[in-house]
């Protein structure tokens, strides 16, 4: 492998793991990502460290899980000067450029990036000093109605009912970031005006798009029309009685087709979501076109595609993220570098978004960092080439809200909800659709004991023993 390769990170927001052509989706069109994935190492069991935007992104930046990092909830940002992968690459001579969504809210908006382009690049008044973080927010005399999140957005039902064609503010933000990325690539590798192109200094470039995050508004009517009668409608049966619903009072409950929303309303929301995926894929293509225009071969770059978390999109009669169902907590992920000797193929082991931290350092031949939770994925990728046998512990974590924990070990997925909350155990090998809770099944007593011990060791409430009586009604 050559040292100091250029690196391009492409990241979507709220992008389900199964909503790409290369993942086998029968309808969604993602020709740009499909072409890249054909020559990439694809991770089919990749998970987010937290199924909500801000903690997931801060964990990605630092290679640490939410509790260890201190970013467990929406709104919590990194302290100024945090040791991010961007900062480490900059220290080793990389030009680090971030375009688009990083979701910082504190005084340090760069966090190691030497250059930023994006409409989210702003410091809230409360971070300046002398002004309370709440001083600029409007007062609210009454609490928000059920179904609202943060009391500032439409509730889920209204979000679905207003779906269709329209101008999402996030589409404007993504266009701004994409144009900026294309301009910087031309400036760095061409500079037709002043002939001061810098092709020697390595570049770490990040493009973080907001889409396909709701609102479910498609900027392109033709794309929306294409998907409207093609999207699959989930089953109308009784949804799994997930404890998440009873633990998060700000949500109204399941959103069932034929009850809270109609099938046509579902189709409009899902069609807009898919259209925004296709639009984002096209933006990624424009960035690659700018590379090729400058005679930069994408095969010589490390190209990573991923997302911060997924989107329920009506599965289990639930929407948005924040759940430990596969649709919300599992993410797309591939790493491509043909010139570096990375061969294409699939890795099925459980991995995490935070593992990209250690992986990128090793790929660029930079010193490993201590004190992180990140594991380099290179060992698993080398297995595809038959050069080594991995000693990978096939387990990963996800956390939400400082109270809830998911542990994925092999095909088992354990969930813990607050100190006095219920437990859920899914076996994805026996029940891939996550409909049956095996928590009271004696056949799982041994792994359940291990999950409970890990839960206690991580500081999530108390540690239950395998013999503890725990009544949890089956759905």
């Amino acid at each position: 492998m050559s040292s100091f390769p250029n690196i391009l990170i492409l990241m979507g927001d709220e992008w389900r793991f199964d909503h790409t052509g290369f993942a086998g989706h029968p309808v969604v069109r993602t020709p740009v990502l499909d072409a890249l994935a054909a020559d990439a190492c694809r991770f089919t069991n990749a998970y987010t460290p937290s199924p909500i935007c801000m903690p997931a992104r801060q964990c990605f930046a630092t290679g640490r899980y939410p509790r260890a990092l201190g970013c467990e909830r929406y709104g919590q940002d990194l302290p100024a000067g945090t040791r991010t992968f961007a900062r480490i690459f900059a220290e080793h001579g990389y030009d680090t450029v971030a375009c688009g969504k990083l979701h910082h809210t504190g005084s340090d908006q760069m966090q190691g990036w030497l250059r930023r382009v994006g409409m989210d690049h702003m410091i809230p008044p409360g971070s300046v000093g002398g002004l309370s973080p709440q001083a600029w927010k409007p007062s609210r005399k009454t609490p928000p109605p059920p179904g609202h999140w943060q009391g500032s957005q439409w509730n889920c039902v209204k979000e679905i009912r207003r779906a269709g064609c329209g101008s999402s503010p996030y589409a404007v933000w993504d266009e701004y970031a994409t144009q900026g990325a294309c301009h910087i690539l031309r400036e760095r590798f061409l500079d037709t005006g002043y002939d001061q192109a810098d092709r020697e200094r390595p570049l770490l470039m990040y493009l973080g798009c907001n889409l396909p995050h709701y609102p479910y508004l498609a900027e392109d009517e033709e794309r929306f029309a294409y998907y409207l009668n093609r999207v699959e409608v989930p089953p109308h049966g009784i949804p799994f009685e997930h404890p998440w619903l009873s633990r998060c009072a700000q949500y109204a409950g399941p959103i069932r087709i034929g009850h809270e929303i109609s099938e046509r309303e579902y189709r409009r929301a899902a069609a807009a979501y898919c259209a925004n995926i296709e639009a984002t894929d096209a933006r990624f293509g424009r960035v690659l076109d700018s590379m090729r225009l400058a005679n930069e071969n994408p095969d010589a770059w490390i190209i990573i595609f991923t997302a911060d978390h997924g989107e329920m999109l009506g599965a289990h009669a639930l929407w948005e993220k924040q759940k430990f169902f596969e649709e919300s907590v599992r993410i797309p992920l591939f790493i491509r570098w043909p010139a570096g000797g990375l061969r294409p193929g699939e890795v099925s082991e459980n991995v995490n978004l935070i593992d990209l931290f250690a992986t990128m350092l090793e790929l660029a031949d930079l010193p490993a960092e201590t004190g992180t939770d990140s594991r380099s994925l290179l060992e698993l990728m080398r297995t595809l080439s038959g050069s080594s046998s991995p000693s990978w512990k096939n387990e990963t974590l996800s956390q939400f809200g400082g109270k809830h924990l998911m542990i994925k070990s092999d095909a088992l997925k354990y969930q813990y909800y607050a100190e006095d909350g219920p437990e859920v155990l899914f076996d994805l090998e026996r029940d891939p659709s996550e409909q049956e809770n095996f928590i009271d099944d004696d056949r799982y007593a041994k792994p359940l004991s291990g999950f409970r011990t890990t839960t206690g060791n991580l500081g999530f409430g108390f540690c239950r023993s395998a013999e503890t009586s725990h009544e949890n009604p089956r759905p």
Side-chain angles (χ1 to χ4, degrees):
M1 296 183 182
S2 60
S3 296
F4 307 118
N6 293 319
I7 302 173
L8 174 64
I9 303 170
L10 303 172
M11 192 170 196
D13 192 316
E14 207 154 316
W15 194 315
R16 262 177 61 158
F17 73 95
D18 56 355
H19 271 53
T20 58
F22 68 82
H25 197 281
V27 174
V28 173
R29 300 181 295 190
T30 51
V32 174
L33 290 173
D34 294 350
L36 293 174
D39 296 321
C41 180
R42 303 176 299 279
F43 296 86
T44 58
N45 281 292
Y47 290 86
T48 179
S50 183
I52 190 169
C53 303
M54 286 188 67
R57 291 171 182 275
Q58 312 322 330
C59 294
F60 166 55
T62 60
R64 303 181 71 188
Y65 283 118
R67 177 145 296 188
L69 182 61
C71 292
E72 298 188 82
R73 297 173 177 83
Y74 185 91
Q76 293 179 326
D77 197 6
L78 301 175
T82 297
R83 197 152 180 78
T84 63
F85 70 78
R87 193 177 308 279
I88 296 168
F89 273 88
E91 290 173 353
H92 286 84
Y94 269 79
D95 185 11
T96 56
V97 179
C99 302
K101 185 174 183 178
L102 289 178
H103 226 162
H104 291 313
T105 59
S107 58
D108 186 354
Q109 293 283 304
M110 302 303 283
Q111 291 290 2
W113 297 99
L114 300 179
R115 189 170 183 180
R116 278 197 64 183
V117 175
M119 293 182 70
D120 72 331
H121 187 185
M122 48 194 164
I123 299 176
S127 298
V128 176
L131 181 62
S132 166
Q134 300 297 325
W136 58 279
K137 294 183 179 180
S139 60
R140 185 185 293 275
K141 296 181 180 179
T142 58
H148 275 265
W149 175 65
Q150 299 290 318
S152 61
Q153 297 170 295
W154 301 119
N155 62 42
C156 290
V157 172
K158 190 169 184 179
E159 197 74 74
I160 296 163
R161 288 177 177 170
R162 68 195 288 260
C165 294
S167 178
S168 164
Y170 294 146
V172 177
W173 289 30
D174 288 355
E175 185 61 24
Y176 185 96
T178 302
Q179 289 187 20
C182 292
H183 174 79
I184 289 172
L185 287 169
R186 292 174 63 113
E187 177 187 88
R188 283 279 272 101
F189 296 104
L190 279 174
D191 192 14
T192 56
Y194 290 94
D195 290 327
Q196 294 181 2
D198 182 3
R199 302 180 67 94
E200 299 301 319
R201 186 182 182 190
L203 175 64
L204 169 66
M205 173 171 276
Y206 163 89
L207 175 59
C209 289
N210 290 269
L211 294 178
H213 192 292
Y214 62 86
Y216 308 107
L217 296 173
E219 57 183 306
D220 186 287
E221 186 174 357
E222 288 299 314
R223 289 187 178 122
F224 177 75
Y226 174 82
Y227 291 109
L228 188 56
N229 289 336
R230 289 182 170 89
V231 293
E232 297 179 344
V233 179
H236 295 195
I238 299 174
F240 177 81
E241 293 181 3
H242 200 273
W244 185 91
L245 293 170
S246 63
R247 309 301 296 181
C248 300
Q250 68 265 41
Y251 279 85
I255 300 174
R256 300 160 298 174
I257 298 172
H259 295 267
E260 290 76 19
I261 60 172
S262 67
E263 182 173 310
R264 189 63 172 177
E265 288 169 335
Y266 172 87
R267 285 187 177 278
R268 291 180 66 84
Y273 179 80
C274 294
N276 286 334
I277 283 178
E278 186 175 337
T280 306
D281 182 80
R283 288 191 170 98
F284 292 160
R286 287 164 52 193
V287 173
L288 295 174
D289 287 343
S290 293
M291 291 170 54
R292 297 186 182 101
L293 178 66
N295 199 29
E296 284 293 311
N297 182 0
D299 290 353
W301 287 54
I302 298 171
I303 299 180
I304 299 170
F305 166 66
T306 191
D308 53 357
H309 52 73
E311 156 73 61
M312 292 301 299
L313 203 67
H316 297 279
L318 297 172
W319 290 74
E320 301 180 18
K321 56 267 188 173
Q322 301 145 329
K323 297 87 176 172
F324 292 138
F325 283 117
E326 292 287 275
E327 292 84 0
S328 168
V329 77
R330 193 166 155 195
I331 57 173
L333 173 61
F334 68 64
I335 302 175
R336 181 184 190 273
W337 191 20
L342 294 185
R343 297 185 181 181
E346 289 189 349
V347 170
S348 60
E349 282 84 355
N350 294 316
V351 304
N352 200 283
L353 179 64
I354 67 170
D355 293 328
L356 286 175
F357 183 99
T359 306
M360 289 188 289
L361 293 183
E362 186 172 1
L363 285 171
D365 200 23
L366 301 184
E369 284 286 305
T370 60
T372 75
D373 302 306
S374 181
R375 304 181 292 177
S376 175
L377 301 172
L378 216 55
E379 178 183 3
L380 297 176
M381 291 189 284
R382 289 192 182 111
T383 305
L384 294 174
S385 304
S387 58
S388 67
S389 298
S391 56
W392 190 264
K393 184 180 181 182
N394 198 23
E395 184 172 289
T396 194
L397 308 177
S398 189
Q399 304 168 23
F400 177 69
K403 299 179 180 179
H404 314 310
L405 172 70
M406 182 204 85
I407 306 172
K408 174 78 185 303
S409 181
D410 295 325
L412 299 183
K413 192 161 74 170
Y414 170 80
Q415 301 166 55
Y416 172 88
Y417 290 88
E419 293 186 5
D420 60 342
E423 296 169 288
V424 175
L425 181 64
F426 289 137
D427 184 340
L428 299 185
E429 197 169 82
R430 293 178 59 186
D431 177 32
S433 61
E434 299 179 295
Q435 295 290 341
E436 186 172 0
N437 185 2
F438 293 101
I439 199 69
D440 295 322
D441 192 322
D442 292 339
R443 290 173 292 181
Y444 297 92
K446 184 175 180 179
L448 181 57
S449 177
F451 287 136
R452 287 169 171 169
T453 298
T454 301
T455 299
N457 291 340
L458 291 171
F460 282 81
F462 56 91
C463 176
R464 297 183 176 95
S465 68
E467 291 77 26
T468 300
S469 174
H470 181 77
E471 295 183 1
N472 189 37
R474 295 183 184 275

